[in-house]
Each structure stands twice: as C-alpha cells, then as structure tokens.
C-alpha cells in the first residue's frame, strides 16, 4: 500500500482525498489549523513532522494560507519529496502561481499540479472521470498515477505546469460570467459563446504567462470550464448566478452565503484583472467579471457591453 501525505482541510481537496482512498492509499492527513469535527473523509490524522515519512504530498491548503502552510511543510521535508497541489488560484499582490510559492517555501523542486473535470459526485458514484497532472518531472507523473489511477479514474500527463495552473484559475472567472448568464435566462447560444470566447481569452493569458496555448484546450482548461458550468456548476458559477439575481451583493454577504471560497473567487478575479492591466491585455470577459463583482456595471449592462464590442476576428 502506498503512503501519501495530504495537507488540507474539509472542503478543500476533498476530491483528491477520495481518489487516494479509491487507490487504496494509506493517507496521512495534516490539517493546517484547527481540526474540523465534521471531517469524516478518509485518512489518518498525523502531526506535521510525520509528512517526512512519505514521498508524495498532495497540497490542498486554502489559498489565503498557502504561503504560510507551504513554509511549515518546507521545514520538515527535503528535496526527495514530491508535492502536487490542487489549488486553482494565484497569490494576490504577487500574482505568483502556487507552484512558484511551493518552490520558494520548500526545499523540493519536484512539484506538480492536479486539475481538470474531477467532480466529487462522479468520483463518489464510481463514474468514469479524469484529470491532468502537470509537472516537468516524469517521476511526479509516475507517483500520481500509482496513487490515483484506477478502472474509473484516468490521469493524463502535461509538462506545462504554469499553463495548466493558469487555465484552472482563469476558468473560474469565466464560470462566474456563465452563472450570471444562467440567472438572466439568456439561453444556450450565449453560454456557448462564453465557453468558446472564454477559452480564446484564456489561451492569450496562458501564452502571456509563458504557458503553451494547446494546454487551454485540454483537461486543465476546457475540461475545468465545462465541469464548472455543468449542471449546478461550481461555487464560482453559483456566485455569478447570485449576482445576476441579487445585483450589488457585497463581498461579505457572498462569503456568508458561499463560504471562504467566495472571497477567494473575488480575489482571483481581481488578481487576474490586475495582471492583465499591467500587461495591457484586452480580455473583455475578464473585465466584465471584474466590473460585475465591484458593482461598476449592473448584470444587464455587463451583457450589453460584451454584446456591443467591435467585431472581432475568430
């Protein structure tokens, strides 16, 4: 049986823990903070120092504490360890990816990102599902496959670590707009347009961050966006729905309704928009999402603005 470390808490990285359990792994869970009484997910709770005993660590700490938690993990591991994170965000202020933070705060360079259309409902039901592991190191891919691959779960490989991370983050901003369109009952044609043009914007941003354009159209990009906007949609999609039905809702009210992930979602849109502004990139969907969450435009004005842009070449 493979022993795998898991850094996170209830609600963050739940899917990864279920996948590890399906792979019959011995999961050693370290919670970076107070333990949650309701945490009944698989895994043995351990002390921070016990992470030194495993080779592979799945990192799913909240983005707000990412650097702090990474520094603590870095104090007990060495260069032989492998860290694979599941976070779909950038660090506010620095605009750094999670892999960069892990490289700065831990002694290992063998880092990866696990993302894609991994829906917890499908995993728990045993339905076929897939994800992509992005890393520059083949041994990272090997370890993740050994720990998670099964008859119902497939892991694809990518060497574009930064591109996959950016895709996962950018999809969340597009999902927010898709939620808005859903709340306004604007039809499938607009949803398809948001999906297609969202991927086009995502690819431009990925290339700007020195990732590969093709990564956008794989599981990390298109796969994540489809999962985020399918059926009930992700938390980001639900936030967009709520803003469509309740214009002007404050950030605090969104956090009260949807939990800390709502604040992370709003901060992510701000971070992406800030990075795009600095690079003078015209990313109209991202700008629309930014205007919506800051109440600079009403929901119908966001849609009107997007529909009255000058004609663009496909």
């Amino acid at each position: 049986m493979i022993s795998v470390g898991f850094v996170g808490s209830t609600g963050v990285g739940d899917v990864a823990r279920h996948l590890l359990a399906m792979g019959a792994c011995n999961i050693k869970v370290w919670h970076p903070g107070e333990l949650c009484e309701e945490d009944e997910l698989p895994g043995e709770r351990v002390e921070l120092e016990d992470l030194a005993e495993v080779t592979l660590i799945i990192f799913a700490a909240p983005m707000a504490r990412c650097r702090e938690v990474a520094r603590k993990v870095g104090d007990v591991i060495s260069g032989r360890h492998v860290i694979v994170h599941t976070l779909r965000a950038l660090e506010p202020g620095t605009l750094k990816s999670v892999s960069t933070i892990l490289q700065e705060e831990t002694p290992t360079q063998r880092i990866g990102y696990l993302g894609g259309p991994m829906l917890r409902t499908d995993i728990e039901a045993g339905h076929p599902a897939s994800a992509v592991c992005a890393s520059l190191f083949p041994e990272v891919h090997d370890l993740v496959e050994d720990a998670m691959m099964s008859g119902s779960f497939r892991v694809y490989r990518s060497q574009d670590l930064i591109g996959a991370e950016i895709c996962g983050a950018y999809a969340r901003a597009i999902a927010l707009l898709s939620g808005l369109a859903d709340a306004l009952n604007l039809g499938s044609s607009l949803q398809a347009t948001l999906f297609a043009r969202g991927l086009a914007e995502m690819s431009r941003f990925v290339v700007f961050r020195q990732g590969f354009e093709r990564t956008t159209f794989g599981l990390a990009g298109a796969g994540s966006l489809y999962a985020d906007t399918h059926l009930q949609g992700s938390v980001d999609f639900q936030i967009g729905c709520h803003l469509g039905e309740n214009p002007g809702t404050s950030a605090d009210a969104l956090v009260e309704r949807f939990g800390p992930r709502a604040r992370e979602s709003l901060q992510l849109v701000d971070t992406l928009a800030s990075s795009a502004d600095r690079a003078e990139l015209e990313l109209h969907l991202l700008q629309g999402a930014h205007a919506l969450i800051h109440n600079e435009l009403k929901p119908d004005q966001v849609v009107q603005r997007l529909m009255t842009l000058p004609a663009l070449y496909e």
Side-chain angles (χ1 to χ4, degrees), residues 59-93:
F59 187 92
M63 188 63 213
R65 300 186 59 199
C66 178
R67 187 173 289 276
E68 168 200 347
V69 174
R71 187 176 298 122
K72 291 181 179 180
V73 172
D75 288 340
V76 301
I77 67 171
S78 67
R80 74 174 183 86
H81 287 87
V82 168
I83 303 180
V84 175
H85 79 87
T86 62
L87 279 65
R88 296 171 56 191
L90 300 175
E91 185 175 39

PDB file of all heavy atoms in Angstrom, residues 59-93:
ATOM      1  N   PHE A  59      -1.091  18.757  -1.805  1.00  0.00           N
ATOM      2  CA  PHE A  59      -1.192  20.039  -1.108  1.00  0.00           C
ATOM      3  C   PHE A  59      -2.496  20.723  -1.497  1.00  0.00           C
ATOM      4  O   PHE A  59      -2.687  21.094  -2.665  1.00  0.00           O
ATOM      5  CB  PHE A  59       0.006  20.911  -1.477  1.00  0.00           C
ATOM      6  CG  PHE A  59       0.121  22.190  -0.696  1.00  0.00           C
ATOM      7  CD1 PHE A  59       0.869  22.245   0.471  1.00  0.00           C
ATOM      8  CD2 PHE A  59      -0.503  23.349  -1.130  1.00  0.00           C
ATOM      9  CE1 PHE A  59       0.988  23.431   1.196  1.00  0.00           C
ATOM     10  CE2 PHE A  59      -0.399  24.530  -0.422  1.00  0.00           C
ATOM     11  CZ  PHE A  59       0.352  24.573   0.753  1.00  0.00           C
ATOM     12  N   ALA A  60      -3.401  20.869  -0.510  1.00  0.00           N
ATOM     13  CA  ALA A  60      -4.695  21.486  -0.790  1.00  0.00           C
ATOM     14  C   ALA A  60      -5.074  22.476   0.295  1.00  0.00           C
ATOM     15  O   ALA A  60      -6.240  22.607   0.660  1.00  0.00           O
ATOM     16  CB  ALA A  60      -5.767  20.403  -0.918  1.00  0.00           C
ATOM     17  N   ALA A  61      -4.086  23.194   0.819  1.00  0.00           N
ATOM     18  CA  ALA A  61      -4.358  24.204   1.839  1.00  0.00           C
ATOM     19  C   ALA A  61      -5.108  25.385   1.221  1.00  0.00           C
ATOM     20  O   ALA A  61      -4.959  25.660   0.028  1.00  0.00           O
ATOM     21  CB  ALA A  61      -3.052  24.687   2.460  1.00  0.00           C
ATOM     22  N   PRO A  62      -5.917  26.101   1.998  1.00  0.00           N
ATOM     23  CA  PRO A  62      -6.626  27.268   1.456  1.00  0.00           C
ATOM     24  C   PRO A  62      -5.644  28.282   0.876  1.00  0.00           C
ATOM     25  O   PRO A  62      -4.560  28.500   1.421  1.00  0.00           O
ATOM     26  CB  PRO A  62      -7.358  27.833   2.677  1.00  0.00           C
ATOM     27  CG  PRO A  62      -7.472  26.671   3.616  1.00  0.00           C
ATOM     28  CD  PRO A  62      -6.240  25.858   3.409  1.00  0.00           C
ATOM     29  N   MET A  63      -6.035  28.935  -0.225  1.00  0.00           N
ATOM     30  CA  MET A  63      -5.149  29.894  -0.882  1.00  0.00           C
ATOM     31  C   MET A  63      -4.746  31.021   0.062  1.00  0.00           C
ATOM     32  O   MET A  63      -3.621  31.519   0.007  1.00  0.00           O
ATOM     33  CB  MET A  63      -5.828  30.471  -2.129  1.00  0.00           C
ATOM     34  CG  MET A  63      -4.909  31.321  -2.984  1.00  0.00           C
ATOM     35  SD  MET A  63      -3.531  30.358  -3.642  1.00  0.00           S
ATOM     36  CE  MET A  63      -2.233  31.584  -3.667  1.00  0.00           C
ATOM     37  N   ALA A  64      -5.631  31.412   0.947  1.00  0.00           N
ATOM     38  CA  ALA A  64      -5.332  32.512   1.859  1.00  0.00           C
ATOM     39  C   ALA A  64      -4.167  32.185   2.785  1.00  0.00           C
ATOM     40  O   ALA A  64      -3.492  33.083   3.287  1.00  0.00           O
ATOM     41  CB  ALA A  64      -6.576  32.859   2.686  1.00  0.00           C
ATOM     42  N   ARG A  65      -3.901  30.890   2.996  1.00  0.00           N
ATOM     43  CA  ARG A  65      -2.826  30.484   3.889  1.00  0.00           C
ATOM     44  C   ARG A  65      -1.751  29.689   3.153  1.00  0.00           C
ATOM     45  O   ARG A  65      -0.912  29.046   3.788  1.00  0.00           O
ATOM     46  CB  ARG A  65      -3.393  29.635   5.032  1.00  0.00           C
ATOM     47  CG  ARG A  65      -4.424  30.346   5.894  1.00  0.00           C
ATOM     48  CD  ARG A  65      -4.806  29.473   7.076  1.00  0.00           C
ATOM     49  NE  ARG A  65      -3.649  29.159   7.898  1.00  0.00           N
ATOM     50  CZ  ARG A  65      -3.617  28.142   8.763  1.00  0.00           C
ATOM     51  NH1 ARG A  65      -4.655  27.347   8.889  1.00  0.00           N
ATOM     52  NH2 ARG A  65      -2.532  27.907   9.478  1.00  0.00           N
ATOM     53  N   CYS A  66      -1.781  29.736   1.846  1.00  0.00           N
ATOM     54  CA  CYS A  66      -0.910  28.896   1.030  1.00  0.00           C
ATOM     55  C   CYS A  66       0.565  29.065   1.383  1.00  0.00           C
ATOM     56  O   CYS A  66       1.274  28.090   1.654  1.00  0.00           O
ATOM     57  CB  CYS A  66      -1.138  29.194  -0.445  1.00  0.00           C
ATOM     58  SG  CYS A  66      -0.073  28.254  -1.580  1.00  0.00           S
ATOM     59  N   ARG A  67       1.041  30.278   1.375  1.00  0.00           N
ATOM     60  CA  ARG A  67       2.472  30.510   1.616  1.00  0.00           C
ATOM     61  C   ARG A  67       2.851  30.134   3.057  1.00  0.00           C
ATOM     62  O   ARG A  67       3.891  29.512   3.293  1.00  0.00           O
ATOM     63  CB  ARG A  67       2.840  31.968   1.320  1.00  0.00           C
ATOM     64  CG  ARG A  67       4.345  32.241   1.381  1.00  0.00           C
ATOM     65  CD  ARG A  67       4.675  33.649   0.928  1.00  0.00           C
ATOM     66  NE  ARG A  67       4.494  33.832  -0.501  1.00  0.00           N
ATOM     67  CZ  ARG A  67       5.398  33.526  -1.418  1.00  0.00           C
ATOM     68  NH1 ARG A  67       6.557  32.971  -1.057  1.00  0.00           N
ATOM     69  NH2 ARG A  67       5.163  33.759  -2.692  1.00  0.00           N
ATOM     70  N   GLU A  68       2.018  30.500   3.996  1.00  0.00           N
ATOM     71  CA  GLU A  68       2.282  30.179   5.402  1.00  0.00           C
ATOM     72  C   GLU A  68       2.372  28.664   5.608  1.00  0.00           C
ATOM     73  O   GLU A  68       3.297  28.158   6.260  1.00  0.00           O
ATOM     74  CB  GLU A  68       1.162  30.761   6.263  1.00  0.00           C
ATOM     75  CG  GLU A  68       1.149  30.280   7.709  1.00  0.00           C
ATOM     76  CD  GLU A  68      -0.204  30.480   8.365  1.00  0.00           C
ATOM     77  OE1 GLU A  68      -1.060  31.201   7.809  1.00  0.00           O
ATOM     78  OE2 GLU A  68      -0.398  29.889   9.448  1.00  0.00           O
ATOM     79  N   VAL A  69       1.412  27.935   5.052  1.00  0.00           N
ATOM     80  CA  VAL A  69       1.384  26.482   5.220  1.00  0.00           C
ATOM     81  C   VAL A  69       2.541  25.830   4.468  1.00  0.00           C
ATOM     82  O   VAL A  69       3.173  24.894   4.959  1.00  0.00           O
ATOM     83  CB  VAL A  69       0.036  25.911   4.744  1.00  0.00           C
ATOM     84  CG1 VAL A  69       0.050  24.386   4.783  1.00  0.00           C
ATOM     85  CG2 VAL A  69      -1.101  26.451   5.601  1.00  0.00           C
ATOM     86  N   ALA A  70       2.836  26.330   3.265  1.00  0.00           N
ATOM     87  CA  ALA A  70       3.956  25.794   2.489  1.00  0.00           C
ATOM     88  C   ALA A  70       5.264  25.937   3.256  1.00  0.00           C
ATOM     89  O   ALA A  70       6.115  25.033   3.241  1.00  0.00           O
ATOM     90  CB  ALA A  70       4.050  26.506   1.140  1.00  0.00           C
ATOM     91  N   ARG A  71       5.433  27.060   3.944  1.00  0.00           N
ATOM     92  CA  ARG A  71       6.654  27.288   4.726  1.00  0.00           C
ATOM     93  C   ARG A  71       6.766  26.266   5.855  1.00  0.00           C
ATOM     94  O   ARG A  71       7.854  25.736   6.126  1.00  0.00           O
ATOM     95  CB  ARG A  71       6.657  28.709   5.277  1.00  0.00           C
ATOM     96  CG  ARG A  71       7.954  29.108   5.970  1.00  0.00           C
ATOM     97  CD  ARG A  71       7.923  30.564   6.409  1.00  0.00           C
ATOM     98  NE  ARG A  71       7.775  31.450   5.255  1.00  0.00           N
ATOM     99  CZ  ARG A  71       6.785  32.326   5.092  1.00  0.00           C
ATOM    100  NH1 ARG A  71       5.849  32.427   6.017  1.00  0.00           N
ATOM    101  NH2 ARG A  71       6.724  33.095   4.027  1.00  0.00           N
ATOM    102  N   LYS A  72       5.652  25.958   6.503  1.00  0.00           N
ATOM    103  CA  LYS A  72       5.666  24.974   7.578  1.00  0.00           C
ATOM    104  C   LYS A  72       6.007  23.581   7.045  1.00  0.00           C
ATOM    105  O   LYS A  72       6.782  22.841   7.656  1.00  0.00           O
ATOM    106  CB  LYS A  72       4.310  24.956   8.290  1.00  0.00           C
ATOM    107  CG  LYS A  72       4.030  26.210   9.097  1.00  0.00           C
ATOM    108  CD  LYS A  72       2.681  26.122   9.794  1.00  0.00           C
ATOM    109  CE  LYS A  72       2.414  27.375  10.626  1.00  0.00           C
ATOM    110  NZ  LYS A  72       1.098  27.318  11.320  1.00  0.00           N
ATOM    111  N   VAL A  73       5.406  23.222   5.910  1.00  0.00           N
ATOM    112  CA  VAL A  73       5.716  21.927   5.303  1.00  0.00           C
ATOM    113  C   VAL A  73       7.183  21.878   4.902  1.00  0.00           C
ATOM    114  O   VAL A  73       7.867  20.859   5.077  1.00  0.00           O
ATOM    115  CB  VAL A  73       4.806  21.680   4.074  1.00  0.00           C
ATOM    116  CG1 VAL A  73       5.251  20.423   3.319  1.00  0.00           C
ATOM    117  CG2 VAL A  73       3.352  21.550   4.509  1.00  0.00           C
ATOM    118  N   GLY A  74       7.692  22.980   4.365  1.00  0.00           N
ATOM    119  CA  GLY A  74       9.086  23.049   3.945  1.00  0.00           C
ATOM    120  C   GLY A  74      10.072  22.815   5.068  1.00  0.00           C
ATOM    121  O   GLY A  74      11.196  22.358   4.838  1.00  0.00           O
ATOM    122  N   ASP A  75       9.644  23.093   6.293  1.00  0.00           N
ATOM    123  CA  ASP A  75      10.529  22.914   7.448  1.00  0.00           C
ATOM    124  C   ASP A  75      10.762  21.446   7.792  1.00  0.00           C
ATOM    125  O   ASP A  75      11.717  21.123   8.505  1.00  0.00           O
ATOM    126  CB  ASP A  75       9.957  23.630   8.673  1.00  0.00           C
ATOM    127  CG  ASP A  75      10.058  25.147   8.577  1.00  0.00           C
ATOM    128  OD1 ASP A  75      10.889  25.629   7.778  1.00  0.00           O
ATOM    129  OD2 ASP A  75       9.310  25.836   9.281  1.00  0.00           O
ATOM    130  N   VAL A  76       9.895  20.539   7.300  1.00  0.00           N
ATOM    131  CA  VAL A  76      10.008  19.136   7.713  1.00  0.00           C
ATOM    132  C   VAL A  76      10.289  18.175   6.561  1.00  0.00           C
ATOM    133  O   VAL A  76      10.447  16.974   6.785  1.00  0.00           O
ATOM    134  CB  VAL A  76       8.729  18.679   8.462  1.00  0.00           C
ATOM    135  CG1 VAL A  76       8.497  19.532   9.691  1.00  0.00           C
ATOM    136  CG2 VAL A  76       7.516  18.705   7.546  1.00  0.00           C
ATOM    137  N   ILE A  77      10.342  18.681   5.328  1.00  0.00           N
ATOM    138  CA  ILE A  77      10.606  17.795   4.195  1.00  0.00           C
ATOM    139  C   ILE A  77      11.954  18.136   3.567  1.00  0.00           C
ATOM    140  O   ILE A  77      12.612  19.094   3.971  1.00  0.00           O
ATOM    141  CB  ILE A  77       9.486  17.873   3.130  1.00  0.00           C
ATOM    142  CG1 ILE A  77       9.483  19.259   2.454  1.00  0.00           C
ATOM    143  CG2 ILE A  77       8.131  17.574   3.748  1.00  0.00           C
ATOM    144  CD1 ILE A  77       8.558  19.336   1.255  1.00  0.00           C
ATOM    145  N   SER A  78      12.337  17.357   2.573  1.00  0.00           N
ATOM    146  CA  SER A  78      13.618  17.564   1.896  1.00  0.00           C
ATOM    147  C   SER A  78      13.412  17.553   0.384  1.00  0.00           C
ATOM    148  O   SER A  78      12.283  17.428  -0.107  1.00  0.00           O
ATOM    149  CB  SER A  78      14.595  16.454   2.287  1.00  0.00           C
ATOM    150  OG  SER A  78      14.146  15.208   1.767  1.00  0.00           O
ATOM    151  N   GLY A  79      14.507  17.625  -0.332  1.00  0.00           N
ATOM    152  CA  GLY A  79      14.446  17.642  -1.786  1.00  0.00           C
ATOM    153  C   GLY A  79      13.967  16.339  -2.398  1.00  0.00           C
ATOM    154  O   GLY A  79      13.641  16.288  -3.588  1.00  0.00           O
ATOM    155  N   ARG A  80      13.912  15.273  -1.615  1.00  0.00           N
ATOM    156  CA  ARG A  80      13.457  13.985  -2.162  1.00  0.00           C
ATOM    157  C   ARG A  80      11.938  13.913  -2.266  1.00  0.00           C
ATOM    158  O   ARG A  80      11.396  13.032  -2.925  1.00  0.00           O
ATOM    159  CB  ARG A  80      13.938  12.839  -1.277  1.00  0.00           C
ATOM    160  CG  ARG A  80      13.199  12.686   0.043  1.00  0.00           C
ATOM    161  CD  ARG A  80      13.617  11.447   0.803  1.00  0.00           C
ATOM    162  NE  ARG A  80      12.848  11.291   2.031  1.00  0.00           N
ATOM    163  CZ  ARG A  80      11.643  10.683   2.087  1.00  0.00           C
ATOM    164  NH1 ARG A  80      11.096  10.209   0.971  1.00  0.00           N
ATOM    165  NH2 ARG A  80      11.004  10.566   3.237  1.00  0.00           N
ATOM    166  N   HIS A  81      11.245  14.826  -1.613  1.00  0.00           N
ATOM    167  CA  HIS A  81       9.788  14.791  -1.595  1.00  0.00           C
ATOM    168  C   HIS A  81       9.187  15.359  -2.881  1.00  0.00           C
ATOM    169  O   HIS A  81       9.802  16.173  -3.573  1.00  0.00           O
ATOM    170  CB  HIS A  81       9.242  15.571  -0.402  1.00  0.00           C
ATOM    171  CG  HIS A  81       9.444  14.876   0.906  1.00  0.00           C
ATOM    172  ND1 HIS A  81      10.607  15.017   1.643  1.00  0.00           N
ATOM    173  CD2 HIS A  81       8.651  14.024   1.606  1.00  0.00           C
ATOM    174  CE1 HIS A  81      10.511  14.286   2.749  1.00  0.00           C
ATOM    175  NE2 HIS A  81       9.346  13.676   2.744  1.00  0.00           N
ATOM    176  N   VAL A  82       7.977  14.933  -3.171  1.00  0.00           N
ATOM    177  CA  VAL A  82       7.196  15.426  -4.303  1.00  0.00           C
ATOM    178  C   VAL A  82       5.930  16.080  -3.757  1.00  0.00           C
ATOM    179  O   VAL A  82       5.234  15.499  -2.908  1.00  0.00           O
ATOM    180  CB  VAL A  82       6.819  14.275  -5.256  1.00  0.00           C
ATOM    181  CG1 VAL A  82       5.760  14.729  -6.261  1.00  0.00           C
ATOM    182  CG2 VAL A  82       8.055  13.752  -5.977  1.00  0.00           C
ATOM    183  N   ILE A  83       5.633  17.286  -4.214  1.00  0.00           N
ATOM    184  CA  ILE A  83       4.405  17.983  -3.803  1.00  0.00           C
ATOM    185  C   ILE A  83       3.554  18.243  -5.044  1.00  0.00           C
ATOM    186  O   ILE A  83       4.018  18.825  -6.024  1.00  0.00           O
ATOM    187  CB  ILE A  83       4.712  19.326  -3.115  1.00  0.00           C
ATOM    188  CG1 ILE A  83       5.626  19.133  -1.907  1.00  0.00           C
ATOM    189  CG2 ILE A  83       3.407  19.991  -2.664  1.00  0.00           C
ATOM    190  CD1 ILE A  83       5.972  20.428  -1.192  1.00  0.00           C
ATOM    191  N   VAL A  84       2.311  17.809  -4.983  1.00  0.00           N
ATOM    192  CA  VAL A  84       1.351  18.065  -6.062  1.00  0.00           C
ATOM    193  C   VAL A  84       0.182  18.832  -5.465  1.00  0.00           C
ATOM    194  O   VAL A  84      -0.458  18.363  -4.514  1.00  0.00           O
ATOM    195  CB  VAL A  84       0.854  16.752  -6.698  1.00  0.00           C
ATOM    196  CG1 VAL A  84      -0.238  17.032  -7.724  1.00  0.00           C
ATOM    197  CG2 VAL A  84       2.018  16.007  -7.350  1.00  0.00           C
ATOM    198  N   HIS A  85      -0.101  20.020  -5.979  1.00  0.00           N
ATOM    199  CA  HIS A  85      -1.180  20.839  -5.413  1.00  0.00           C
ATOM    200  C   HIS A  85      -2.426  20.796  -6.288  1.00  0.00           C
ATOM    201  O   HIS A  85      -2.372  20.414  -7.465  1.00  0.00           O
ATOM    202  CB  HIS A  85      -0.705  22.285  -5.206  1.00  0.00           C
ATOM    203  CG  HIS A  85      -0.684  23.119  -6.447  1.00  0.00           C
ATOM    204  ND1 HIS A  85      -1.786  23.819  -6.887  1.00  0.00           N
ATOM    205  CD2 HIS A  85       0.299  23.381  -7.345  1.00  0.00           C
ATOM    206  CE1 HIS A  85      -1.483  24.482  -7.990  1.00  0.00           C
ATOM    207  NE2 HIS A  85      -0.228  24.228  -8.298  1.00  0.00           N
ATOM    208  N   THR A  86      -3.555  21.194  -5.693  1.00  0.00           N
ATOM    209  CA  THR A  86      -4.839  21.183  -6.396  1.00  0.00           C
ATOM    210  C   THR A  86      -5.494  22.561  -6.411  1.00  0.00           C
ATOM    211  O   THR A  86      -6.667  22.679  -6.748  1.00  0.00           O
ATOM    212  CB  THR A  86      -5.805  20.187  -5.733  1.00  0.00           C
ATOM    213  OG1 THR A  86      -6.047  20.599  -4.374  1.00  0.00           O
ATOM    214  CG2 THR A  86      -5.242  18.776  -5.729  1.00  0.00           C
ATOM    215  N   LEU A  87      -4.752  23.605  -6.077  1.00  0.00           N
ATOM    216  CA  LEU A  87      -5.326  24.945  -5.944  1.00  0.00           C
ATOM    217  C   LEU A  87      -5.463  25.627  -7.305  1.00  0.00           C
ATOM    218  O   LEU A  87      -4.545  25.603  -8.115  1.00  0.00           O
ATOM    219  CB  LEU A  87      -4.470  25.814  -5.022  1.00  0.00           C
ATOM    220  CG  LEU A  87      -4.666  25.618  -3.513  1.00  0.00           C
ATOM    221  CD1 LEU A  87      -4.222  24.230  -3.089  1.00  0.00           C
ATOM    222  CD2 LEU A  87      -3.911  26.679  -2.736  1.00  0.00           C
ATOM    223  N   ARG A  88      -6.602  26.282  -7.506  1.00  0.00           N
ATOM    224  CA  ARG A  88      -6.863  26.987  -8.765  1.00  0.00           C
ATOM    225  C   ARG A  88      -6.929  28.481  -8.476  1.00  0.00           C
ATOM    226  O   ARG A  88      -7.988  29.100  -8.537  1.00  0.00           O
ATOM    227  CB  ARG A  88      -8.160  26.480  -9.389  1.00  0.00           C
ATOM    228  CG  ARG A  88      -8.116  25.018  -9.790  1.00  0.00           C
ATOM    229  CD  ARG A  88      -9.475  24.505 -10.200  1.00  0.00           C
ATOM    230  NE  ARG A  88     -10.043  25.306 -11.264  1.00  0.00           N
ATOM    231  CZ  ARG A  88     -11.314  25.203 -11.665  1.00  0.00           C
ATOM    232  NH1 ARG A  88     -12.140  24.381 -11.057  1.00  0.00           N
ATOM    233  NH2 ARG A  88     -11.752  25.968 -12.648  1.00  0.00           N
ATOM    234  N   ALA A  89      -5.797  29.050  -8.148  1.00  0.00           N
ATOM    235  CA  ALA A  89      -5.750  30.467  -7.791  1.00  0.00           C
ATOM    236  C   ALA A  89      -4.333  30.986  -7.962  1.00  0.00           C
ATOM    237  O   ALA A  89      -3.390  30.218  -8.167  1.00  0.00           O
ATOM    238  CB  ALA A  89      -6.231  30.664  -6.359  1.00  0.00           C
ATOM    239  N   LEU A  90      -4.190  32.306  -7.877  1.00  0.00           N
ATOM    240  CA  LEU A  90      -2.892  32.973  -7.877  1.00  0.00           C
ATOM    241  C   LEU A  90      -2.767  33.753  -6.582  1.00  0.00           C
ATOM    242  O   LEU A  90      -3.774  34.129  -5.977  1.00  0.00           O
ATOM    243  CB  LEU A  90      -2.763  33.918  -9.079  1.00  0.00           C
ATOM    244  CG  LEU A  90      -2.883  33.296 -10.467  1.00  0.00           C
ATOM    245  CD1 LEU A  90      -2.845  34.402 -11.531  1.00  0.00           C
ATOM    246  CD2 LEU A  90      -1.779  32.293 -10.715  1.00  0.00           C
ATOM    247  N   GLU A  91      -1.548  34.013  -6.175  1.00  0.00           N
ATOM    248  CA  GLU A  91      -1.334  34.748  -4.927  1.00  0.00           C
ATOM    249  C   GLU A  91      -1.670  36.230  -5.132  1.00  0.00           C
ATOM    250  O   GLU A  91      -1.075  36.894  -5.993  1.00  0.00           O
ATOM    251  CB  GLU A  91       0.117  34.607  -4.468  1.00  0.00           C
ATOM    252  CG  GLU A  91       0.369  35.253  -3.107  1.00  0.00           C
ATOM    253  CD  GLU A  91       1.775  35.016  -2.602  1.00  0.00           C
ATOM    254  OE1 GLU A  91       2.723  35.048  -3.426  1.00  0.00           O
ATOM    255  OE2 GLU A  91       1.939  34.793  -1.389  1.00  0.00           O
ATOM    256  N   PRO A  92      -2.624  36.768  -4.366  1.00  0.00           N
ATOM    257  CA  PRO A  92      -2.948  38.193  -4.503  1.00  0.00           C
ATOM    258  C   PRO A  92      -1.716  39.058  -4.238  1.00  0.00           C
ATOM    259  O   PRO A  92      -0.908  38.750  -3.367  1.00  0.00           O
ATOM    260  CB  PRO A  92      -4.007  38.401  -3.409  1.00  0.00           C
ATOM    261  CG  PRO A  92      -4.601  37.051  -3.185  1.00  0.00           C
ATOM    262  CD  PRO A  92      -3.469  36.089  -3.370  1.00  0.00           C
ATOM    263  N   GLY A  93      -1.578  40.102  -4.987  1.00  0.00           N
ATOM    264  CA  GLY A  93      -0.442  41.009  -4.797  1.00  0.00           C
ATOM    265  C   GLY A  93       0.751  40.626  -5.653  1.00  0.00           C
ATOM    266  O   GLY A  93       1.202  41.406  -6.491  1.00  0.00           O
TER     267      GLY A  93
END
